[in-house]
Every structure is written in C-alpha cells, then in structure tokens.
C-alpha cells in the first residue's frame, strides 16, 4: 500500500504468527473449502459489489480444474479495490489519529468493513486445497487484525487510540505474510510497497 501502515500488501518478513496460521490452515483446509463455497456470508455494505462500487467477480468462480491465471485474476479483482479503499481509510486515520478522535474511530470502523468484505470475497473463490489453506490463513490473520481494530475503535481518548498503533502494525505484518504466500502461489509478483 502507499500508506505508512500497509494492509493487504506485503512489506514485512514472515513471522511465527504467520507460520502458525499457515499450519492451522493446512489442518482445516478441507473444512474451509466447503465453508468457502457455502452461501450466506455477510456482505460488505455494498453487498455483492467491490469497495469501489463495481460488481463482484467472485460469484462465478466454480470450475472443475482451476487455471492459476484465472484464479490470480479473481484474486486481483478483489484485492485491488480493497487495497485502494484501505489506502484511503488508513491515510484518513493517520491524518486524524492525533487530533480528531471521532473521525479516526470512524476510519477504523471503515477499515474493518473493507477487510471483512475482502475476506468474504476471497473465501468465495474456489481455490485448490493448497491455495485454499493459505487463503484460510490469510482470513485467520485478518480476523485477528479486525478484532484488534474494533478494540482500537472503542478508545475513549486519542492517547488510548494511538497506544494501539504498534500492535496494529504487528497485526498488519501477520496479514502481509499470508498475502505474500497466496500471491506467490497464484504466480503474482509481490505487491508494490512505498
């Protein structure tokens, strides 16, 4: 991501938490694949639309022999708008975290909505088991970050809000590890960093 606190893109190195999520995901890959294709997921406020308002590409992802290029395109079709949306939300949070508690908290709530939307769309893609395991690990790491962001968004003061920033960056790094893995498995280059 272009912002200082990247979200779904990779900047950091693998961590023990990332490796733990990958192992856990490999153990539950069979359950996750079945769950990923079931109906009834909650949706982003824009429902079956991307954060930028376009239709979701993940709905027609069933195929008998997935082509890696098709899967990569489906992944990028959700990652690109989610990253763009998160860049805006994170930039706004960083602009307001030291002087506007209400706006900064609202930005954090928007981040969680975008991250949840990304997870839901990712789980709709019919990946082969090895990639589905990494997708599950990515969602697991992202769920931990979402839980932390929700706690941060309930801060009563600016000082309390900012006190979460280091833990939030660590949670970002755990997500970034999984993003690196899934992009490599899909034959995608690492995300741009700046």
């Amino acid at each position: 991501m272009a912002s200082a606190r990247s979200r779904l893109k990779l900047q950091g190195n693998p961590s023990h938490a990332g490796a733990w999520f990958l192992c856990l995901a490999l153990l539950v890959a069979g359950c996750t694949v079945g769950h990923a294709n079931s109906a009834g997921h909650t949706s982003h406020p824009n429902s079956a639309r991307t954060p930028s308002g376009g239709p979701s590409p993940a709905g027609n992802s069933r195929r008998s022999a997935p082509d890696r290029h098709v899967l990569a395109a489906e992944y990028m079709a959700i990652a690109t708008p989610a990253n763009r949306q998160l860049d805006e939300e994170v930039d706004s949070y960083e602009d307001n975290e030291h002087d506007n508690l209400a706006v900064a908290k609202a930005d954090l709530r928007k981040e969680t909505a975008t991250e949840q939307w990304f997870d839901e769309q990712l789980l709709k893609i019919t990946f082969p088991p090895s990639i589905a395991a990494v997708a599950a690990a990515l969602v697991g790491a992202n769920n931990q970050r979402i839980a932390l962001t929700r706690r941060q968004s309930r801060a009563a003061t600016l000082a309390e809000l900012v006190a979460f920033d280091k833990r939030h960056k660590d949670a970002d790094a755990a997500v970034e590890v999984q993003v690196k893995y899934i992009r490599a498995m899909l034959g995608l280059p690492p995300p741009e960093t700046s």
Side-chain angles (χ1 to χ4, degrees), residues 15 17 34 36 38 45 72 101 111 147 159 164 176 181 193:
S15 67
S38 64
L101 181 64
E111 288 176 31
F164 277 89
E176 292 163 359
Y181 292 151
T193 59

Side-chain angles (χ1 to χ4, degrees), residues 117-133:
W117 176 88
F118 173 83
D119 288 350
E120 291 161 2
Q121 299 307 307
L122 181 66
L123 292 175
K124 290 179 182 179
I125 299 173
T126 306
F127 290 118
S130 59
I131 300 175

Side-chain angles (χ1 to χ4, degrees), residues 55-193:
S56 170
N60 299 325
S61 61
R62 286 199 170 274
R63 67 187 61 79
S64 58
D67 176 87
R68 190 167 83 155
H69 297 297
V70 172
L71 294 173
E74 289 184 38
Y75 173 84
M76 290 306 296
I78 62 173
T80 299
N83 283 333
R84 191 176 306 121
Q85 186 75 25
L86 284 170
D87 277 341
E88 293 173 14
E89 293 157 358
V90 170
D91 288 346
S92 181
Y93 168 79
E94 290 174 347
D95 289 345
N96 291 289
E97 69 179 318
H98 296 289
D99 57 13
N100 193 331
L101 181 64
V103 172
K105 290 169 64 168
D107 291 330
L108 291 170
R109 288 189 296 272
K110 289 176 189 174
E111 288 176 31
T112 61
T114 300
E115 291 164 350
Q116 287 176 306
W117 176 88
F118 173 83
D119 288 350
E120 291 161 2
Q121 299 307 307
L122 181 66
L123 292 175
K124 290 179 182 179
I125 299 173
T126 306
F127 290 118
S130 59
I131 300 175
V134 177
L138 172 54
V139 170
N142 209 20
N143 282 336
Q144 288 199 346
R145 177 173 66 184
I146 289 167
L148 177 67
T149 305
R150 283 185 175 143
R151 286 195 304 270
Q152 185 177 15
S153 73
R154 292 190 295 268
T157 65
L158 288 168
E160 185 181 342
L161 183 87
V162 172
F164 277 89
D165 284 353
K166 169 68 170 90
R167 291 189 331 207
H168 203 143
K169 287 180 183 181
D170 291 343
D172 290 343
V175 170
E176 292 163 359
V177 167
Q178 301 308 323
V179 169
K180 178 182 177 182
Y181 292 151
I182 198 165
R183 288 181 67 105
M185 293 180 87
L186 292 171
L188 294 167
E192 295 176 17
T193 59

